[in-house]
Amino acid sequence: MAYTSQSSHRAAALLASAVAALGLLTACGSGNDSASTPQKVSGTAAPATGGSDSASDGTTDTGTGKATDASSGTSSSGTSTAKTGSTGGSTSGGTGTKTATSTRCHTSELKASVGGNDPGAGQENFPLVLTNTSGRTCTVRGYPGAAFTDSAGKQLGPDPKRSSGTPTTVTLKPGQSAWAGLTFSNPEISGAATATPSTLVVTPPDELDPLKVAWSGGKVPVSGNSSSVFLTVLSPGTGP
């Protein structure tokens, strides 16, 4: 009987061991991931090596060397995808490259000069010229500002008036010019009081900073009959 009892105990122990081993194997196979599927780890996706795999940044490799943005459906070449973006500004072609929003010529990009007098019918006519000295193409439009001053910087006479005209946008490539007519009645004919300026102060359209040009055109009317000085709109070139 003792022998039979020892055999029964040994059989029971072997059975318990087998059950425990079976339970351990069952526990290893449970959960969301199977033993044949690699476990996902957060972080930067490694370069694709073939097959279909989801990256941590929301892009999916299709096994063809192109990565597709899951949010937009767009694709870009390469084995891995890096998201880029930009904020603010105006962009061109979706590349994130900012483009200029204004092409107006600024004072710092221009040089002012005054051409020779072209008198006619009792009028003195001088071309006031603005030349693009920058390395970019820019535009001017409308009337420049102008004033005559003496050597101390004091203005002589009132501000010039604007002749009637239709402003147009003048595009200036580097080195190109636009001109406006600066005209007034000959003081000897009109009888206006005169002064001889040392400087013509010129302000480009829509700008605040002026340019200064030495005046060599002689006397100008500053008060009295027909003392007004007139400016025309800017046109392409350096004069009529």
Side-chain angles (χ1 to χ4, degrees):
M1 294 296 293
Y3 178 79
T4 302
S5 176
Q6 289 178 359
S7 298
S8 298
H9 285 300
R10 180 173 296 176
L14 291 175
L15 179 60
S17 298
V19 171
L22 180 61
L24 180 60
L25 292 174
T26 303
C28 292
S30 65
N32 295 327
D33 296 328
S34 64
S36 60
T37 302
Q39 184 177 0
K40 285 185 169 296
V41 180
S42 61
T44 304
T49 56
S52 179
D53 187 22
S54 296
S56 61
D57 63 354
T59 59
T60 302
D61 181 80
T62 61
T64 61
K66 293 185 178 181
T68 303
D69 190 323
S71 62
S72 63
T74 59
S75 63
S76 59
S77 300
T79 56
S80 62
T81 300
K83 289 190 173 181
T84 59
S86 62
T87 57
S90 175
T91 60
S92 174
T95 61
T97 303
K98 292 186 177 181
T99 59
T101 58
S102 174
T103 60
R104 187 179 83 240
C105 296
H106 300 294
T107 300
S108 61
E109 300 174 304
L110 297 170
K111 175 185 177 182
S113 59
V114 177
N117 186 15
D118 183 21
Q123 291 290 112
E124 310 300 321
N125 305 297
F126 295 87
L128 192 164
V129 181
L130 293 175
T131 302
N132 180 8
T133 59
S134 74
R136 74 180 184 104
T137 298
C138 58
T139 62
V140 292
R141 179 185 176 87
Y143 299 85
F148 293 108
T149 63
D150 61 17
S151 58
K154 180 182 177 180
Q155 182 170 336
L156 302 174
D159 292 338
K161 296 180 179 180
R162 293 179 174 182
S163 299
S164 60
T166 302
T168 59
T169 300
V170 181
T171 300
L172 301 179
K173 294 180 179 180
Q176 291 185 332
S177 302
W179 72 281
L182 177 72
T183 67
F184 52 85
S185 296
N186 186 318
E188 294 182 0
I189 298 175
S190 68
T194 64
T196 303
S198 64
T199 304
L200 176 65
V201 179
V202 181
T203 305
D206 301 315
E207 291 291 301
L208 298 177
D209 297 326
L211 299 166
K212 295 182 178 181
V213 183
W215 177 256
S216 59
K219 295 180 179 181
V220 299
V222 294
S223 65
N225 295 332
S226 300
S227 60
S228 295
V229 178
F230 292 89
L231 282 169
T232 66
V233 295
L234 286 163
S235 301
T238 59

